[in-house]
């Protein structure tokens, strides 16, 4: 992003808390591209040039990242307000959205067909096995 987005992550936060995001490639918390904007009321407000899952983390000795504070924006992504925002606008009628939902529907349809075929085949296998178990054997 050219201009940073400002996010309010949590209420009160000490000066030892800094903004960070979970970096999937390094499997660690990172502060790259994320800065804290200090507020008079000690709110945790972060400015970022990318979108991800953000949290406030406590700085450890040597400026390493140690503990995750219980103030993450992951819960806000699935909140009632977020779901209302998703339902607004005409994005659902755009071509990329129609293609995506069509792909999801096709995937679910094929998945259900495969599950039905597996169920049918497992019943046929059980029936064949039962017949083999009940077939009298000839003794020599």
């Amino acid at each position: 992003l050219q201009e940073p987005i400002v996010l309010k992550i949590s209420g009160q936060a000490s000066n030892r808390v800094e903004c960070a995001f979970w970096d999937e490639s390094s499997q660690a918390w990172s502060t790259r591209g994320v800065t804290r904007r200090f507020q008079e009321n000690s709110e945790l407000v972060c400015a970022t040039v990318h979108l991800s899952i953000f949290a406030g983390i406590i700085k450890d000795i040597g400026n390493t990242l140690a503990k995750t504070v219980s103030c993450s924006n992951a819960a806000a992504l699935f909140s009632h307000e977020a779901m209302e925002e998703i339902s607004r606008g005409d994005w659902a009628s755009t071509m990329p959205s129609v293609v995506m939902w069509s792909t999801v529907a096709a995937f679910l349809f094929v998945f259900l067909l495969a599950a039905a075929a597996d169920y049918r085949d497992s019943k046929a296998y059980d029936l064949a096995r039962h017949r083999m178990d009940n077939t009298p054997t000839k003794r020599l």
Side-chain angles (χ1 to χ4, degrees):
L1 301 173
Q2 296 293 334
E3 295 288 322
I5 295 174
V6 178
L7 303 169
K8 177 184 172 188
I9 294 184
S10 178
Q12 301 293 313
S14 75
N15 289 340
R16 293 185 55 208
V17 176
E18 62 185 354
C19 299
F21 73 99
W22 183 254
D23 187 350
E24 290 290 330
S25 60
S26 66
Q27 293 293 301
W29 289 102
S30 173
T31 59
R32 190 177 62 251
V34 185
T35 57
R36 179 171 179 182
R37 291 199 175 165
F38 287 93
Q39 306 292 316
E40 290 179 12
N41 57 3
S42 298
E43 287 181 327
L44 183 56
V45 177
C46 302
T48 179
V49 292
H50 57 81
L51 299 176
S52 183
I53 301 295
F54 296 94
I57 56 171
I58 299 174
K59 292 187 264 185
D60 200 11
I61 298 174
N63 202 24
T64 59
L65 308 177
K67 293 183 178 180
T68 303
V69 178
S70 64
C71 48
S72 170
N73 72 331
L77 294 174
F78 300 103
S79 69
H80 181 69
E81 292 82 16
M83 294 301 135
E84 285 179 348
E85 286 294 321
I86 289 173
S87 66
R88 291 186 191 154
D90 62 348
W91 67 270
S93 62
T94 62
M95 184 55 73
S97 179
V98 170
V99 169
M100 181 200 65
W101 288 116
S102 299
T103 303
V104 169
F107 171 79
L108 290 175
F109 179 71
V110 170
F111 178 80
L112 290 174
L113 284 178
D118 284 348
Y119 180 77
R120 183 190 66 229
D121 291 346
S122 70
K123 289 297 180 185
Y125 175 77
D126 289 344
L127 182 61
R129 186 171 165 208
H130 178 71
R131 286 182 183 161
M132 285 178 53
D133 290 344
N134 291 335
T135 303
T137 57
K138 295 182 183 178
R139 294 189 178 228
L140 298 173

